[in-house]
Amino acid sequence: QLHLQESGPGLVKPSETLSLTCTVSGGSISRNNYYWDWIRQPPGKGLEWIGSIYYSGNTYYNPSLKSRVTISVDTSENQFSLKLISVTAADMAVYYCARREYSGNYFDYWGQGTLVTVSS
Amino acid sequence: QTVVTQEPSFSVSPGGTITLTCGLNSGSVSTSYYPSWYQQTPGQAPRTLIYSTDTRSSGVPDRFSGSIIGNKAALTITGAQADDESDYYCVFYMGSGTSVFGGGTKVTVL
């Protein structure tokens, strides 16, 4: 059974960089036909797709966040990571990592999510 | 900018049927957008219900069904149960590796 687990600081100061890692267990991140995605949800609000990465390193980003987001993959550690620069209070959210199945383009496995608070 | 619209809220009586919809500001929804649907209860990660328009994810009861109705994607709950009270989100694949979520529909069963 695939398991995804987010990790990283739960508190980030305004203007600084948010960094999170998703560790994948129970399966290889290098499998064909799967993307690895980041999704976030501000408190009391809806879900927002941030971006995704293929194990080869190809990345795809939400146009509204593209200038501030970098997603990377470490196949040796079976992890992928999110960096969001210049954060503001609007970036406070629960951040989820998820696996996206290529042919159906849907999220089939989700992490439990991690809350990141932006505050000085 | 792509905007995906969902009804903000919906109420249904136990045993009743509701159809939630998911539209695109750019035009009609088709299967090529690979509509998918997710259920989320407070404090929990989303759960996959439907993908590729009408395919139920493993373990999802058959009272949940997906379709395209008119120019929108639709999720129908037939015979609603108390534990169907949740938020429901649709997602469209927009091509070039990008996805977009709808704003979500809060379903109340009462």
Side-chain angles (χ1 to χ4, degrees):
Chain A
Q1 177 78 351
L2 198 73
H3 183 71
L4 287 77
Q5 180 68 57
E6 305 88 352
S7 59
L11 179 64
V12 181
K13 291 182 169 58
S15 80
E16 295 192 344
T17 297
L18 179 159
S19 296
L20 295 174
T21 294
C22 182
T23 300
V24 179
S25 57
S28 173
I29 204 169
S30 300
R31 277 188 69 180
N32 287 337
N33 299 324
Y34 295 102
Y35 291 92
W36 303 92
D37 288 48
W38 288 98
I39 295 148
R40 70 180 183 179
Q41 185 172 36
K45 296 188 178 181
L47 297 161
E48 179 181 33
W49 180 75
I50 299 171
S52 69
I53 192 165
Y54 198 59
Y55 76 91
S56 61
N58 289 351
T59 52
Y60 311 88
Y61 298 127
N62 184 326
S64 68
L65 297 169
K66 188 173 183 177
S67 63
R68 298 195 293 130
V69 171
T70 302
I71 297 176
S72 59
V73 64
D74 185 340
T75 54
S76 65
E77 295 290 338
N78 227 37
Q79 295 176 334
F80 62 108
S81 298
L82 169 71
K83 287 193 189 304
L84 180 66
I85 65 171
S86 305
V87 300
T88 70
D91 296 310
M92 177 172 166
V94 174
Y95 285 76
Y96 294 99
C97 58
R99 187 178 81 167
R100 178 159 57 95
E101 198 267 359
Y102 174 85
S103 61
N105 285 294
Y106 68 101
F107 307 107
D108 59 354
Y109 285 93
W110 296 72
Q112 66 185 27
T114 187
L115 174 64
V116 177
T117 300
V118 178
S119 175
S120 54
Chain B
Q1 181 187 356
T2 300
V3 177
V4 178
T5 55
Q6 296 186 245
E7 298 87 359
S9 62
F10 235 117
S11 289
V12 62
S13 300
T17 296
I18 56 169
T19 297
L20 315 182
T21 67
C22 187
L24 264 177
N25 65 334
S26 56
S28 294
V29 171
S30 68
T31 57
S32 63
Y33 288 104
Y34 297 92
S36 55
W37 292 88
Y38 304 85
Q39 177 191 49
Q40 187 183 36
T41 52
Q44 299 296 313
R47 168 199 181 197
T48 308
L49 293 178
I50 301 287
Y51 62 93
S52 295
T53 306
D54 57 6
T55 304
R56 267 187 300 276
S57 188
S58 176
V60 173
D62 60 7
R63 65 178 183 274
F64 293 93
S65 62
S67 63
I68 291 180
I69 298 177
N71 61 353
K72 296 183 179 182
L75 174 71
T76 299
I77 307 174
T78 304
Q81 299 183 2
D83 61 3
D84 296 334
E85 188 161 293
S86 303
D87 295 326
Y88 292 83
Y89 294 91
C90 63
V91 177
F92 292 131
Y93 176 67
M94 302 308 295
S96 302
T98 63
S99 298
V100 61
F101 280 85
T105 298
K106 184 177 185 63
V107 171
T108 303
V109 180
L110 47 70

